[in-house]
């Protein structure tokens, strides 16, 4: 059934369809509507869940930790500062292998204070051991969240689905909403074998003595690596049931492309426009969009990108003082490859600085030129910086 | 009310001996039973109970982070409700910091939301240079193990200004847990201490420079360094025995056959005891004191004479043994502390307090029994290692030069002194001789070069000949007033307890509020957590103490029965942090309550009721004095604390009596 | 051992695999010590043990424990000088236990209920006791408990000695004494009244002779030179008890002497040396943890308790100095949870886990536990 939903509503609806049992979230722009919508579902009796109105995001994720450990399906949503505040517990949850699912409305990080969009927040916690998925539109928000529950619970790994604040969260789109029965068929109830239960007293979260810490971390890492295949399998089943196919990445008009753009999230939408315009002009340009960011699908990206002469990595984040996160991860994947395109990093859209198709066309032009010259200019390049105001 | 026998917290956890927190945990679990889920904040308890792959918990338990126990517990409780799993109580536990400081936010949220969670704060106010406990320390009451020294005792100390022997008051005894121990060995001394323990060392100034004594830690010592050691104790006083001869009506008494039991020590008595120490035994149940002194042995004749003179009785016997039959005498000798059995003989502490002549007399007696002399060198043989060790120290106080203890093991069947041994055994001997005094008048510089303290009446220098690792062991340290050093195993050592006290250790005392909590010195918590809990209007708030286990159990059960949030604040002594003997944990906890420093109360729906009133409130000094962490307090500071406790108790309605 | 995800530990209580015994250098030792009351009692009654049973209402057991040392509790319960009460450590807190009143109650209850003590298994030996005063009768009683045949010779017409002619009626009613003496006969003690023994030759045929004639001058044929603390006179097989042996005047003292001598005679008859009575150190008042007890004066006022209810309440005031009474305090407090309750009044420390912290010893209200150095 089609509904007109903004990104937040889609996220809340996904949680409802997934029959989450414990919700704990603290409101923060631009995620607030998720919390409000879920609260309304619970109040109206549409969703049978415990809604724990916590006093901070740190406690929100802690509540989810406790609930998940007790055997309940737990969900939270946040953004930016909230994600930072709960960042300590992100690592604890993943270290304890609890399948908490989070919706993160990407928002810039303070300081300076910004309620607007970029992907700095979720990319700052890419090391936390969580599976990270990035959606391009509201349909994907809904679908990827449903996938996330299934994926998290089958692998015992927490998962966050990221979507651009305001751009997606507050924009309404037509979304195909599956029925509750369809979702129930896809997503069975959560029943972990390891949970807090007086009938089987377990100790969770002990001291990781030096003799064992390395192995524990390795096991977790290995499990997260395995999430790549896990995602493919689950997405495949999702595709069969719901008709919408998702993969680790999407290749848009990449056949024979000399120039490839690499992007995540709604930025890809704009990039697709630019690609279309270039293709109309006969330029061989394509786009690779990454859905699964962690675990990082190095092999898949190598396969998708090696054919090009030059790759422009477009991202809405910066590892301040160096390059963008997506760029450094991608380049690392190519470190030992014989065939390697030229890589250029473009930092754009921070704090919702508008990214127009024209800007991307300019990027493509630059990239092609430098690709032909075989020489990389400034790297990374910040798009749209108003040089006249710089001191 | 009976406590269930089942142990929900298994032994084998790594808590310090005498830990108050773990005692509280155990009692709380007994009060709650199996149907619980425990959520623990990071802290002592979490670390000591769950060293992977072992866990002491026999109930479900989860630990997340330091500041969010209350939030995790909220999640557990919400999940249980959602999943319809009833009859399981969620208990969140945190320490002082995890509750009142970093954990306050989560706790406040949990209470505000009204979750059905019992929050327990186990408050041990803990924050957290040491010797092996068997180290022998010289006190005015004699030689004692460092672990037996009591606060207030006078210890012998090196006055760093005048370089003489002085008696100083011991102001603290600290049991510091298990640490690495190293041995410092000099020609006549051996001491075991931790690497950070300071010794008094000579620092040579080099050509033209001055030599001076400095403190260096064991880890900084090198073989060849010269350390200050005790040479002689010229003081002493006759020891007055507090032996009570038996009374009529005493079924063990020998009312006939009277023997004069001496009231004080004397050289003759000490000599007699010395002979006994070497060759004698005692069997009080047979009223027998015996000596293995064959005819012709010089000691035999001496013994008869001494016995007549000191005890007023003549021993009977045959050609190989002498006996004195008197159960009073037997019990008297048994009570002196010399031990029983060849392997267990020792020299008790009080001998070290005797005057020089009496100490010498003891040694003479011993030599008559089991010693022999070769020229100017004497040798004493014994099967008791402890006896040799103490004799060595005794001789050092008499300014003898003493060698090391030569110990040998012998197997059963070997020949030893014309007889075959009936079993495996060991024995040793000790060599000693008179020291040749340095000729200070003729060659002062030369003498002082060799021994910086040459000519000093009490002390001298010795070179370190070996430094080695000796394993891990429990450690003890003392705090001594003024010069902050004492004499352990003959060496001058410093105390290492560095008190983390500001100039106003109780400066924030005035801001603590009616619940009677005591903070921790500089990092004090200024918050009255029970009152903060009360301000959230939760159904049940209480304070408890591990020193009153039944009160604690009662309150835990009451709190658990509440449908909604409850808060319990439990006072738990920490021997390691509070610097008191592990055995005193409960005493300290009870004194906190008996002095009014910690008040036991509960508040149901906001109405406070004191649950235990001491019959007579004791002065706060009794509580403070037991703990090393308060040993720096002056009289005025203690009085100020007393006034503030009085004020708080008055506010709470806790009088002086009942 | 395989890791579970998140390092979950699925072995509850597995910390017990780690033996913390190596941490300690002191370990607790439980030792039954002598209470000052028992120490002062010339007869050696196990007062803490008796009071424990009384408090629990196990009156017959209490009576039997009392009778194990004291043949005439109804007598002593009325006339004993109460050596025990001034020594009672409870006096430091409020008032000493009314021990004599409890003894009297037990004695009277025993008579009322008709409880009987059986003689021991016959040994075939016979002992002659000269003098039927408290010393002689007590000696006879204890010899009978040990299974020996006993014949008591009393020069006077009535037996009882000091108990018979030295006590006013209101102090010790004749009827009470008669019942007590009768119980002795029921045990099989033969008493020959009105028979004055002149010499030892009259007593040949007896395995041993006990002279307990008190202050009466001995006939020539019975004179003895000296005695030691066991009543041995230097003449083989002849013992002296009570005032004759130098004991001070007093019914309880005499009875205590009689008991001691009975033990010596028994040992002699078995060809052994007498076993010295154990004397674990007496518990001083400073060793009792007074803060575990609340102020409560004597039940029943100065004369003490009278009814069973009062007696039980009074017995409940007993500190039980030096004797474990199953208060569970050590078990409750042990941080290692390594004290096991093995019986009503019996605890054992699991040596595998004890860290030697010393809390059990420091908190035992009655000084039963002490810490001793670990022998490595």
């Amino acid at each position: 059934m089609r509904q007109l939903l903004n990104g937040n509503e889609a996220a809340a609806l996904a949680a409802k369809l997934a029959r989450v049992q414990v919700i704990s979230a603290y409101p923060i722009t631009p995620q607030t509507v998720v919390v409000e919508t879920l609260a309304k579902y619970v109040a109206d009796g549409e969703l049978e869940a415990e809604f724990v109105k916590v006093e901070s995001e740190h406690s929100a994720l802690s509540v989810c930790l406790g609930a998940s450990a007790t055997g309940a399906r737990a969900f939270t949503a946040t953004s930016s500062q909230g994600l930072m505040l709960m960042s300590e517990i992100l690592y604890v949850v993943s270290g304890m292998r609890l399948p908490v699912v989070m919706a993160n409305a990407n928002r810039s990080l303070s300081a300076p204070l910004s309620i607007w969009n970029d992907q700095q927040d979720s990319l700052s916690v890419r090391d936390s051991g969580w599976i990270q998925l990035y959606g391009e539109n509201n349909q994907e928000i809904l679908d990827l969240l449903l996938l996330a529950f299934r994926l998290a619970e089958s692998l015992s790994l927490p998962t966050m689905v990221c979507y651009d604040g305001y751009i997606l969260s507050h924009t309404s789109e037509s979304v195909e909403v599956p029925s509750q029965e369809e979702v129930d068929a896809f997503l069975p109830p959560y029943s972990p074998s390891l949970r807090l239960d007086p009938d089987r007293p377990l100790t969770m979260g002990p001291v990781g003595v030096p003799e064992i810490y390395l192995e524990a971390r390795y096991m977790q890492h290995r499990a997260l690596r395995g999430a790549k295949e896990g995602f493919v399998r689950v997405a495949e089943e999702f595709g069969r049931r719901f008709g919408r196919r998702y993969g680790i990445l999407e290749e848009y008009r990449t056949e024979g492309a000399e120039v490839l753009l690499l992007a995540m999230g709604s930025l890809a939408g704009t990039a697709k426009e630019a690609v279309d315009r270039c293709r109309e002009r006969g330029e061989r340009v394509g786009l690779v969009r990454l859905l699964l960011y962690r675990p990082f699908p190095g092999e898949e990206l190598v396969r998708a990108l090696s054919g090009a002469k030059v790759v422009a990595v477009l991202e809405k984040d910066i590892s301040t003082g160096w390059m963008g996160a997506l760029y450094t991860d991608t380049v690392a994947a190519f470190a030992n490859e014989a065939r390697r395109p030229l890589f250029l990093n473009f930092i754009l859209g921070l704090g919702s600085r508008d990214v127009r198709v024209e800007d991307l066309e300019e990027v493509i032009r630059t990239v092609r030129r430098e690709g032909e010259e075989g020489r990389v200019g400034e790297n990374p390049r910040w798009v749209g910086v108003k040089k006249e105001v710089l001191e | 009310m009976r406590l269930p026998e089942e142990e929900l917290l298994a032994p084998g956890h790594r808590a310090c001996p005498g830990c108050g927190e773990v005692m509280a945990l155990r009692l709380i679990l007994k009060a709650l039973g199996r149907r619980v889920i425990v959520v623990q904040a990071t802290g002592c308890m979490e670390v000591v109970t769950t060293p992977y792959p072992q866990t002491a918990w026999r109930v479900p338990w989860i630990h997340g982070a330091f500041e969010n126990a209350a939030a995790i517990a909220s999640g557990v409780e919400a999940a249980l409700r959602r999943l319809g799993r009833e009859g399981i109580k969620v208990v969140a536990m945190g320490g002082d910091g995890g509750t009142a400081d970093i954990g306050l936010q989560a706790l406040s949220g949990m209470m505000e939301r009204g979750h059905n969670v019992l929050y327990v704060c186990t408050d041990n106010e803990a924050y957290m240079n040491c010797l092996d406990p068997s180290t022998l320390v010289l006190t005015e009451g004699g030689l004692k193990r460092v672990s037996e020294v009591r606060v207030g005792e006078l210890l012998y100390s090196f006055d760093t200004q005048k370089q003489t022997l002085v008696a100083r008051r011991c102001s603290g005894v600290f049991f510091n847990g298990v640490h690495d121990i190293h041995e410092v060995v000099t020609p006549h001394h051996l001491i075991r201490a931790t690497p950070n323990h300071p010794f008094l060392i000579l620092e040579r100034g080099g050509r033209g420079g001055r030599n001076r004594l400095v403190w260096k830690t064991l880890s900084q010592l090198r073989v060849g360094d010269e350390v200050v050691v005790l040479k002689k104790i010229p003081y002493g006083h006759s020891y007055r025995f507090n032996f009570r001869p038996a009374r009529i009506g005493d079924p063990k008494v020998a009312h006939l056959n009277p023997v004069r039991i001496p009231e004080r020590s004397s050289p003759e008595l000490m000599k007699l005891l010395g002979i006994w120490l070497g060759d004698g035994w005692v069997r009080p149940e047979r009223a027998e004191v015996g000596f293995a002194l064959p005819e012709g042995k010089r000691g035999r004749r001496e013994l008869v004479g001494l016995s007549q003179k000191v005890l007023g009785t003549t021993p009977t016997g045959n050609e190989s043994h002498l006996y004195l039959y008197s159960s009073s005498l037997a019990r008297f000798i048994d009570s002196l502390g010399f031990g029983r059995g060849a392997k267990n003989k020792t020299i008790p502490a009080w001998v070290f307090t005797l005057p020089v002549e009496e100490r010498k007399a003891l040694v003479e007696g011993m030599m008559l029994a089991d010693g022999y002399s070769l020229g100017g060198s004497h040798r004493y043989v014994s099967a008791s290692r402890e006896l040799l060790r103490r004799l060595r120290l005794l001789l050092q106080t008499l300014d003898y030069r003493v060698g090391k203890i030569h110990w040998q093991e012998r197997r059963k069947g070997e020949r030893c002194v014309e007889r075959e041994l009936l079993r495996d055994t060991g024995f040793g001997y000790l060599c000693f001789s008179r020291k040749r005094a340095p000729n200070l008048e003729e060659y002062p510089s030369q003498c002082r070069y060799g021994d910086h303290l040459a000519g000093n009446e009490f002390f001298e220098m010795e070179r370190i000949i070996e430094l080695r690792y000796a394993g891990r062991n429990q450690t003890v340290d003392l705090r001594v007033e003024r010069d902050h050093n004492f004499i352990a195993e003959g060496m001058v050592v410093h105390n290492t307890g560095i008190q983390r006290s500001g100039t106003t250790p109780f400066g924030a005392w005035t801001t603590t509020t009616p619940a009677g909590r005591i903070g921790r010195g500089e990092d004090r918590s200024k918050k009255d957590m029970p009152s903060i809990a009360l301000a959230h209007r939760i159904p049940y708030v209480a304070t408890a103490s591990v020193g009153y286990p039944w009160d604690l159990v009662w309150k835990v059960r009451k709190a658990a029965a509440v449908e909604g949030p409850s808060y319990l604040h439990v006072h738990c002594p920490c021997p390691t942090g509070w610097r008191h003997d592990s055995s005193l944990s409960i005493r300290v906890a009870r004194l906190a309550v008996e002095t009014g420093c910690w008040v036991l109360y509960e508040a149901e729906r906001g109405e406070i009721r004191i649950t235990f009133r001491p019959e007579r409130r004791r002065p706060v000094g009794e509580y403070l004095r037991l703990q090393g962490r308060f040993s720096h307090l002056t009289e005025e500071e203690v009085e100020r604390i007393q006034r503030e406790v009085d004020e708080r108790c008055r506010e709470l309605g806790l009088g002086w009596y009942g | 051992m395989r890791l579970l995800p998140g390092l979950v530990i699925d072995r509850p209580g597995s910390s017990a695999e780690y033996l913390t015994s190596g941490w300690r250098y002191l370990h607790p030792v439980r030792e039954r010590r002598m209470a000052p009351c028992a120490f002062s009692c010339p007869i050696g009654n196990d007062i803490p043990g008796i009071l424990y049973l009384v408090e629990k209402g196990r009156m017959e057991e209490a009576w039997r424990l009392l009778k194990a040392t004291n043949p005439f509790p109804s007598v002593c319960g009325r006339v004993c000088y109460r050596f025990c009460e001034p020594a009672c450590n409870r006096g430091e807190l409020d008032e000493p236990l009314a021990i004599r009143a409890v003894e009297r109650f037990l004695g009277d209850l025993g008579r009322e209920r008709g409880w009987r003590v059986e003689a021991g298994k016959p040994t075939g030996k016979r002992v002659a006791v000269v003098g039927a005063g408290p010393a002689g009768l007590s000696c006879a009683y204890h010899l009978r408990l040990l299974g020996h045949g006993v014949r008591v010779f009393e020069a006077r017409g009535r037996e009882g000695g000091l108990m018979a002619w030295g006590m006013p009626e209101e102090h010790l009613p004749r009827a009470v004494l008669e019942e007590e003496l009768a119980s002795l006969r029921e045990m099989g003690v033969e008493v020959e009244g009105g028979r004055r023994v002149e010499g030892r030759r009259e007593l040949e045929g007896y395995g041993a002779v006990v002279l307990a004639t008190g202050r009466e001058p001995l006939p020539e044929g019975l004179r003895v030179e000296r005695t030691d603390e066991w009543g041995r006179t230097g003449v083989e097989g002849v013992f002296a008890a009570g005032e004759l042996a130098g004991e001070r005047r007093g019914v309880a003292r005499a009875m205590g002497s009689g008991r001691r001598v009975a033990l010596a005679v028994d040992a002699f008859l078995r060809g052994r040396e007498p076993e010295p009575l154990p004397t674990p150190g007496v518990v001083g008042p400073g060793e009792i943890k007074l803060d575990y007890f609340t102020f409560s004066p004597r039940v029943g006022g100065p004369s003490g308790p009278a009814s069973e209810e009062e007696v039980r309440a009074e017995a409940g005031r007993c500190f039980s100095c030096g004797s474990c009474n199953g208060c569970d305090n050590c078990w409750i407090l042990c941080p290692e949870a390594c004290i096991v309750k093995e019986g009503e009044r019996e605890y054992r420390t699991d040596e595998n886990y004890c860290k030697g912290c010393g809390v059990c010893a420091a908190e035992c209200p009655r000084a039963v536990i002490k810490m001793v150095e670990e022998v490595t």
Side-chain angles (χ1 to χ4, degrees), chain B residues 56-347:
Chain B
W57 298 90
R58 293 194 170 123
V59 294
W61 181 92
I62 182 167
H63 153 252
F66 189 18
E67 68 280 58
N68 63 357
I72 296 180
S74 303
V76 173
E77 185 253 13
L80 287 173
R81 197 157 6 130
R82 177 49 37 198
L83 296 169
R85 286 159 59 189
E86 294 178 349
I88 303 174
K89 186 74 185 184
V90 181
V91 183
M93 302 222 247
D96 195 45
T99 302
D101 299 331
I102 198 173
L104 186 57
Q105 177 201 290
L107 176 60
S108 176
M110 177 209 106
M111 290 196 286
E112 191 188 348
R113 290 189 296 271
H115 289 277
N116 184 2
V117 172
L118 163 58
Y119 192 97
V120 180
C121 175
T122 47
D123 191 356
N124 68 354
E125 307 170 9
Y127 54 98
M128 285 226 354
N129 180 313
C130 323
L131 298 169
D132 188 287
S134 66
T135 303
L136 295 169
V137 169
L138 215 41
T139 75
E140 245 211 351
L143 203 64
K144 269 193 176 184
R145 277 180 209 256
V146 64
S147 50
E148 289 166 7
V149 175
R150 296 285 157 256
V151 174
E153 274 197 67
L154 287 172
L155 306 176
Y156 278 122
S157 184
F158 179 71
D159 184 329
T160 38
Q161 303 288 51
K162 303 194 196 107
Q163 296 193 341
T164 53
L165 189 68
V166 290
R168 293 270 182 257
R169 197 179 146 268
C170 170
S171 55
V173 181
F174 310 114
F175 289 81
N176 290 327
V178 176
H179 291 285
D180 284 326
I181 302 248
H182 296 252
E183 284 180 354
V184 178
V185 188
T186 67
H188 301 126
H189 299 274
L190 184 150
I191 186 171
R192 287 198 187 87
T194 52
N196 62 349
H197 206 107
F199 292 78
L200 197 54
I201 301 295
L202 184 68
E203 191 182 74
R204 288 192 177 269
R207 200 188 190 87
R210 292 181 58 99
N211 297 340
R212 59 198 187 110
L213 293 172
V214 297
W215 290 103
K216 277 201 179 163
T217 61
L218 192 155
S219 52
Q220 296 168 316
L221 297 181
R222 297 277 169 271
V223 170
D225 277 348
E226 294 153 277
V227 60
V228 178
V229 300
L230 184 68
K231 184 169 79 166
K232 181 167 79 175
I233 301 180
Y235 308 133
H237 43 82
S238 246
Y239 186 71
R240 191 184 191 81
F241 301 114
N242 56 3
F243 173 74
R244 208 170 54 127
R247 300 176 349 234
I248 304 286
D250 189 326
K252 289 85 37 207
V253 93
H255 67 283
L256 296 173
N257 195 11
V259 156
R260 186 170 65 233
I261 306 292
E263 281 180 14
R264 305 191 75 94
S265 62
S266 63
E268 291 84 9
L269 174 66
M270 296 315 294
K271 197 166 185 183
L272 187 152
L273 288 171
I275 300 175
W276 181 85
L277 198 53
D279 275 338
W281 69 87
V282 63
R283 289 205 193 103
E285 60 280 4
R286 288 175 174 236
E288 180 183 286
V289 178
F291 298 82
L293 289 169
E295 292 272 7
K297 194 165 177 189
R298 213 180 109 217
R300 185 179 171 111
R301 217 176 41 247
E302 291 253 9
L303 178 71
V304 172
L306 288 166
S307 174
Q308 285 162 343
K309 188 163 175 212
V310 177
L311 304 173
T313 186
T314 309
T316 57
N318 51 39
E319 64 264 13
S320 54
H321 296 89
L322 283 177
Y323 300 97
L324 285 161
Y325 283 106
S326 161
S327 63
S328 281
L329 179 66
R331 284 169 49 238
F332 169 67
I333 292 184
D334 202 30
S335 74
L336 292 176
F338 285 103
R340 274 212 230 172
K343 290 219 164 287
N344 299 324
K345 291 266 179 63
T346 183
I347 300 177

Side-chain angles (χ1 to χ4, degrees), chain C residues 313-336:
Chain C
E314 179 66 6
R317 292 195 322 119
C318 174
F319 284 159
S320 191
C321 305
S323 293
C324 179
N325 67 351
C327 76
D328 280 352
N329 213 32
C330 56
W331 173 79
I332 289 171
L333 293 172
C334 176
E336 314 311 319

Side-chain angles (χ1 to χ4, degrees), chain A residues 154-221:
Chain A
S154 63
L155 297 171
S156 293
L157 285 168
T159 304
M160 64 172 80
V161 173
C162 306
Y163 55 97
D164 290 312
Y166 282 118
I167 298 172
L168 295 180
S169 67
H170 283 60
T171 315
S172 297
E173 293 175 4
S174 169
V175 176
E176 177 70 39
V177 179
S179 68
Q180 183 67 69
E181 294 71 36
E182 286 175 297
V183 175
D184 289 342
F186 169 70
L187 184 62
Y190 177 48
S191 61
S193 57
L194 298 175
R195 62 174 198 177
L196 294 172
D197 184 353
D199 295 330
R200 184 187 174 189
L202 300 174
T203 289
M204 295 188 167
V207 177
V209 294
E211 291 79 21
I212 211 64
Y213 186 91
L214 185 63
E215 284 70 21
R217 188 62 74 226
Y218 178 70
M219 257 177 66
Q220 185 191 346
H221 168 83

Side-chain angles (χ1 to χ4, degrees), chain B residues 2 15 26 55 253 582 590, chain C residues 14 229 291 328 331 355 357:
Chain B
R2 275 220 72 98
R26 181 170 163 253
T55 176
V253 93
S582 60
R590 290 174 80 94
Chain C
S14 46
E229 77 264 32
D291 61 301
D328 280 352
W331 173 79
K355 289 178 186 160
C357 71

